[in-house]
C-alpha cells in the first residue's frame, strides 16, 4: 500500500513570510524572502508550536511546507471558517489549491488521519495537500494590513495517525478532541422552539407566550426544561429586510418588557432564549469606535477593539442576562467584521493594530461569554475554531428554511458533516427544523430526529396549530430523545466518508436512514430564500 500519513510535528522543509512589502510572487521557489521577520518552531509532546518575530516588519501571512509522500490518500475533507455552506465540507480527491480551513482528514481506504491546529489559535489557518506534501498558510493580519509583534504564538499544529481497526467517524471525533483541550460544554440538554423560520421576525409577545405554553405542556415531566427562543424581531429598530441591529435596551411595540416576557416564559415551565446582533447599531458611536465593515450593512458597525465598543457590547449582553434570559444567541458578527469571507476588502487596520484578526475575534467572544455570566451563549455566524472553549453552543451550518426544504438539505443536513466537533468543541447546532405550510413536515421531523440522536442542539420552528396529533406525538418523542440522551449514547454517521449529505446513522445499535430527496425527486435547483 502506498504511503498516506506524513508526520508534520517537525520543522517545515520550507518557510515563506509575506509582509506588506512582499512581491505578489513571494511563494515561488527561489524568491528571496526579503524580510527581517523570523519564524521559529518548538516540537514537544506531539505539538508543533509556531512563533513569529516580526522584528519591525508588518507580516501578513506565513507559508509552511512539509514535503513527503502521501500518494496513498484517496480522499480528503476540510472544515469551514464559519458556518458551512452547501459545497465546502466535502470529501474530494487531491485538489492542491483547495483551501481546507483549520484542519483536514485524509482517508486511504483503511485509515483516517488528521492534521490541524489547536482551537483558539492566534491566526486563521488554511491547509492544502497534494501527493507530495502538505502546506499550511497562517493569516496573521490585522484588518487587511500586517501585524508588528515582538513574539506571537501563531498556532499549535497537531496530527493524528489513524489505524485500520477504528471507525473513521469516531476517529474524526477523537481528533477534534485532540485539537480542543478544554471545551466549554453545556451541562444540560439543548432543545426547544425558535420562532424565526415560521414568523421571520413578525413576532409579538402574545404568540411567543402561546408557543412557550405549548412547549411546556409538550415536554411536561422531562428532566431538562426546553428553550423558548425569541429570534430577530423583538428590538426597537427592526425594519424587515433592511435593518436588524441595535439599540438593544429597548423593545418594539409588540413587547411591553423583555424582562417580563422572560419571566412569563419561565412561569410556563420553559427556559428563555433571545437573539441579538451585537456589532450593528443605530445608536451614537464615537467616530474612532466605528468600523468600516466590508459587509456595508445599514447602520453603524462597532470596532470591537475600541474601549467604547467593548463597554457597549458587555452592557448589552449583561442586560439580556439580567433580564433573565437563559441563552443568548449572538449573530452576524463575522459578516460585520469581514463580509462573506476573509479577504483584502477589510479596512487596513482595526483601532487596535497590535492584535491579529484571530485574536480580535477570540477576545470579542470572551467578552461576550464573560458578560453573559451563567447564561448560555450560542454563536451564530461565528468562527467555530475560535469559539471552541468559549461558547457552549455553535451554529454549524448556514440557514435552514421554512420556505424550501432544499435549503434545509443544503445547509442543515450538510452541516452534519461537522458533527465530529459535537461535544468535542461545543454543542453543535444544525439549525431549526421548520414546520410551515410550504415545507414537508415529515422531512423536517426526520431532520429534527437526526439532530436529537446525534446529541446536537435540537430546535424547531413550529407554526402554531400546524401539526396534527400524530405529528405532534413524534415531535414530543424527538424532544424526549434530546432531553435524555447521554454523552455516550450519540448516533454515529455511517455514510460519513462517502457523502456530503448524511443519510445513514446508527443509534444504540439501530440503523436510521433518511431520504432527503423524496419531495423533489432529487435536488431542487430553482429556489429563492425569500419565496
Amino acid at each position: 500500500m502506498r504511503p498516506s500519513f506524513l508526520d508534520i510535528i517537525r520543522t517545515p522543509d520550507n518557510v515563506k513570510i509575506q509582509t506588506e512589502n512582499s512581491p505578489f510572487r513571494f511563494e515561488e521557489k527561489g524568491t528571496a524572502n526579503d524580510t527581517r521577520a523570523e519564524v521559529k518552531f518548538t516540537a514537544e509532546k506531539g505539538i508543533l508550536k509556531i512563533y513569529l518575530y516580526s522584528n519591525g516588519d508588518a507580516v501578513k501571512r506565513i507559508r509552511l511546507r512539509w514535503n513527503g509522500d502521501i500518494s496513498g490518500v484517496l480522499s480528503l475533507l476540510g472544515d469551514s471558517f464559519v458556518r458551512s455552506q452547501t459545497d465546502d465540507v466535502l470529501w474530494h480527491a487531491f485538489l492542491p489549491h483547495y483551501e481546507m480551513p483549520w484542519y483536514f482528514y485524509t482517508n486511504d481506504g483503511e485509515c483516517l488521519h488528521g492534521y490541524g491546529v489547536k482551537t483558539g489559535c492566534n491566526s486563521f489557518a488554511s491547509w492544502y495537500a497534494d501527493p507530495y506534501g502538505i502546506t499550511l498558510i497562517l493569516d496573521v493580519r490585522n484588518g487587511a494590513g500586517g501585524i508588528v509583534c515582538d513574539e506571537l504564538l501563531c498556532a499549535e499544529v497537531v496530527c493524528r495517525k489513524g489505524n485500520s481497526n477504528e471507525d473513521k467517524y469516531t476517529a474524526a471525533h477523537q481528533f477534534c478532541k485532540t485539537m480542543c483541550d478544554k471545551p466549554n460544554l453545556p451541562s444540560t440538554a439543548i432543545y426547544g422552539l425558535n420562532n424565526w423560520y415560521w414568523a421571520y421576525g413578525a413576532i409579538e409577545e402574545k404568540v411567543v407566550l402561546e408557543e412557550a405554553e405549548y412547549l411546556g405542556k409538550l415536554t411536561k415531566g422531562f428532566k431538562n426544561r426546553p428553550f423558548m427562543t425569541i429570534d430577530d424581531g423583538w428590538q426597537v429598530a427592526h425594519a424587515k429586510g433592511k435593518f436588524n441591529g441595535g439599540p438593544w435596551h429597548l423593545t418594539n411595540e409588540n413587547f411591553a418588557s423583555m424582562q417580563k416576557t422572560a419571566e412569563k416564559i419561565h412561569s410556563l415551565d420553559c427556559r428563555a432564549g433571545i437573539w441579538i446582533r451585537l456589532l450593528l447599531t443605530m445608536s451614537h458611536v464615537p467616530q474612532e469606535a466605528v468600523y468600516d465593515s466590508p459587509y456595508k450593512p445599514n447602520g453603524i458597525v462597532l470596532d470591537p477593539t475600541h474601549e467604547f465598543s467593548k463597554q457597549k457590547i458587555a452592557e448589552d449582553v449583561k442586560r439580556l442576562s439580567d433580564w433573565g434570559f437563559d441563552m443568548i444567541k449572538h449573530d452576524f458578527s463575522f459578516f460585520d467584521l469581514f463580509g462573506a469571507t476573509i479577504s483584502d476588502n477589510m479596512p487596513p487596520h482595526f483601532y487596535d493594530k497590535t492584535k491579529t484578526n484571530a485574536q480580535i475575534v477570540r477576545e470579542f467572544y470572551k467578552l461576550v461569554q464573560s458578560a453573559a455570566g451563567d447564561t448560555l451563549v450560542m454563536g451564530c455566524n461565528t468562527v467555530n475554531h475560535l469559539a471552541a472553549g468559549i461558547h457552549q453552543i455553535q451554529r454549524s451550518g448556514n440557514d435552514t428554511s421554512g420556505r424550501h426544504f432544499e435549503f434545509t438539505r443544503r445547509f442543515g443536513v450538510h452541516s452534519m458533516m461537522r458533527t465530529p466537533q459535537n461535544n468535542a468543541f461545543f454543542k453543535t447546532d444544525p439549525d431549526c427544523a421548520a414546520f410551515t405550510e410550504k415545507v414537508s413536515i415529515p422531512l423536517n421531523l426526520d431532520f429534527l430526529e437526526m439532530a436529537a440522536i446525534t446529541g446536537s442542539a435540537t430546535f424547531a420552528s413550529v407554526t402554531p396549530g400546524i401539526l396534527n396529533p400524530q405529528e405532534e406525538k413524534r415531535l414530543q418523542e424527538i424532544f424526549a430523545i434530546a432531553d435524555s440522551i447521554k454523552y455516550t449514547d450519540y448516533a454515529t454517521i455511517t455514510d460519513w466518508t462517502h457523502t456530503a449529505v448524511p443519510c445513514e446513522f446508527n443509534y444504540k445499535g439501530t440503523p436510521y436512514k433518511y431520504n432527503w430527496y423524496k419531495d423533489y425527486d432529487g435536488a431542487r435547483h430553482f429556489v429563492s430564500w425569500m419565496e
Side-chain angles (χ1 to χ4, degrees):
M1 187 174 180
R2 290 183 296 178
S4 65
F5 178 73
L6 180 61
D7 188 352
I8 58 173
I9 309 303
R10 60 177 175 82
T11 300
D13 298 295
N14 186 269
V15 179
K16 297 283 189 182
I17 300 173
Q18 182 193 32
T19 71
E20 290 183 351
N21 298 318
S22 293
F24 177 74
R25 296 181 179 275
F26 82 98
E27 291 181 86
E28 292 192 4
K29 186 176 181 179
T31 300
N33 203 22
D34 189 17
T35 175
R36 294 171 293 181
E38 298 176 275
V39 180
K40 296 183 180 180
F41 308 91
T42 63
E44 186 178 4
K45 296 181 180 179
I47 301 172
L48 179 69
K49 295 184 178 182
I50 303 168
Y51 294 91
L52 170 66
Y53 303 85
S54 73
N55 297 325
D57 283 358
V59 178
K60 299 175 74 173
R61 297 177 180 89
I62 302 167
R63 184 185 188 275
L64 311 170
R65 171 69 175 184
W66 292 267
N67 293 320
D69 184 356
I70 55 170
S71 58
V73 168
L74 300 177
S75 58
L76 309 89
L77 180 141
D79 195 39
S80 178
F81 277 126
V82 199
R83 300 184 299 189
S84 62
Q85 304 301 315
T86 188
D87 56 0
D88 52 1
V89 186
L90 300 171
W91 287 102
H92 55 85
F94 279 119
L95 193 58
H97 59 277
Y98 189 80
E99 180 180 46
M100 296 180 288
W102 302 121
Y103 64 89
F104 70 102
Y105 303 111
T106 64
N107 179 11
D108 64 9
E110 292 187 5
C111 302
L112 182 135
H113 309 305
Y115 307 84
V117 295
K118 280 188 172 287
T119 57
C121 62
N122 294 323
S123 59
F124 280 86
S126 301
W127 295 90
Y128 304 82
D130 59 78
Y132 299 97
I134 294 170
T135 302
L136 171 63
I137 294 181
L138 300 176
D139 184 339
V140 294
R141 290 178 294 169
N142 173 284
I147 184 81
V148 177
C149 61
D150 294 328
E151 179 185 85
L152 176 70
L153 174 57
C154 302
E156 296 176 283
V157 172
V158 290
C159 62
R160 181 182 187 274
K161 185 177 182 179
N163 59 73
S164 58
N165 63 1
E166 64 182 350
D167 174 73
K168 294 184 178 65
Y169 178 82
T170 304
H173 180 64
Q174 290 302 317
F175 184 60
C176 284
K177 288 185 174 181
T178 299
M179 287 185 284
C180 186
D181 294 328
K182 296 180 179 179
N184 183 17
L185 300 177
S187 59
T188 182
I190 307 296
Y191 74 100
L193 297 181
N194 175 303
N195 53 27
W196 177 251
Y197 290 107
W198 73 266
Y200 285 100
I203 57 176
E204 57 181 314
E205 184 189 59
K206 177 178 179 294
V207 180
V208 167
L209 297 179
E210 289 173 354
E211 288 185 90
E213 183 178 18
Y214 172 78
L215 181 61
K217 291 179 179 178
L218 193 70
T219 59
K220 184 177 177 62
F222 286 16
K223 178 181 178 181
N224 301 284
R225 300 318 304 147
F227 286 94
M228 178 62 235
T229 304
I230 302 169
D231 213 285
D232 181 12
W234 64 270
Q235 66 272 33
V236 65
H238 180 260
K240 190 174 182 181
K242 296 180 181 179
F243 184 81
N244 64 346
W248 301 105
H249 64 290
L250 298 171
T251 185
N252 58 44
E253 66 276 9
N254 295 320
F255 294 85
S257 161
M258 297 311 292
Q259 181 171 354
K260 290 181 179 178
T261 300
E263 291 172 356
K264 292 174 183 177
I265 290 173
H266 290 153
S267 72
L268 295 168
D269 207 17
C270 295
R271 290 179 285 180
I274 195 166
W275 174 98
I276 192 170
R277 182 175 182 172
L278 287 164
L279 296 181
L280 181 66
T281 186
M282 283 190 173
S283 299
H284 170 72
V285 177
Q287 187 57 44
E288 61 185 10
V290 174
Y291 179 74
D292 184 17
S293 170
Y295 187 55
K296 305 300 181 188
N298 295 322
I300 297 168
V301 175
L302 296 168
D303 184 326
T305 70
H306 193 280
E307 287 304 317
F308 174 89
S309 303
K310 293 179 183 179
Q311 182 176 344
K312 181 64 175 170
I313 292 164
E315 287 175 352
D316 287 338
V317 173
K318 186 177 184 299
R319 184 184 304 112
L320 299 184
S321 180
D322 289 345
W323 281 346
F325 284 94
D326 305 286
M327 180 178 70
I328 297 170
K329 174 184 175 183
H330 78 95
D331 198 356
F332 277 94
S333 60
F334 188 87
F335 279 136
D336 290 337
L337 294 177
F338 304 111
T341 187
I342 298 175
S343 68
D344 291 322
N345 295 325
M346 294 177 285
H349 290 284
F350 282 88
Y351 176 79
D352 184 347
K353 299 179 181 180
T354 68
K355 296 181 174 66
T356 67
N357 293 326
Q359 288 176 299
I360 289 166
V361 168
R362 196 176 71 253
E363 289 184 8
F364 166 58
Y365 297 164
K366 287 182 176 179
L367 175 66
V368 172
Q369 192 71 53
S370 176
D374 294 332
T375 300
L376 295 170
V377 175
M378 174 190 287
C380 186
N381 189 235
T382 45
V383 182
N384 62 317
H385 223 65
L386 300 179
I390 301 174
H391 295 336
Q392 295 96 346
I393 314 160
Q394 175 80 358
R395 263 281 297 279
S396 51
N398 207 340
D399 291 357
T400 56
S401 176
R403 295 166 176 141
H404 301 285
F405 186 78
E406 180 66 18
F407 281 103
T408 302
R409 183 194 66 77
R410 292 186 189 188
F411 301 126
V413 180
H414 171 66
S415 77
M416 300 301 287
M417 295 298 292
R418 306 176 86 183
T419 308
Q421 298 175 6
N422 190 37
N423 299 303
F425 288 3
F426 30 57
K427 177 77 71 176
T428 56
D429 171 35
D431 206 10
C432 302
F435 298 92
T436 73
E437 294 179 351
K438 295 182 177 181
V439 294
S440 165
I441 288 176
L443 278 174
N444 273 287
L445 285 167
D446 285 348
F447 176 74
L448 195 67
E449 182 179 76
M450 175 189 65
I453 64 175
T454 55
S456 306
T458 306
F459 284 101
S461 290
V462 181
T463 305
I466 198 170
L467 300 181
N468 64 37
Q470 185 177 357
E471 293 162 344
E472 191 174 278
K473 183 175 185 297
R474 188 174 176 206
L475 175 64
Q476 184 181 47
E477 290 170 348
I478 291 169
F479 280 157
I481 293 172
D483 172 63
S484 62
I485 198 166
K486 299 177 181 178
Y487 280 99
T488 56
D489 286 344
Y490 302 141
T492 57
I493 305 175
T494 55
D495 62 346
W496 183 72
T497 57
H498 55 274
T499 187
V501 186
C503 299
E504 299 175 10
F505 301 79
N506 186 293
Y507 176 51
K508 293 184 175 181
T510 301
Y512 283 67
K513 188 171 184 178
Y514 304 109
N515 179 357
W516 308 119
Y517 312 98
K518 57 188 176 185
D519 263 26
Y520 306 135
D521 282 335
R524 182 170 179 171
H525 296 282
F526 302 98
V527 293
S528 166
W529 187 83
M530 292 302 296
E531 295 177 2

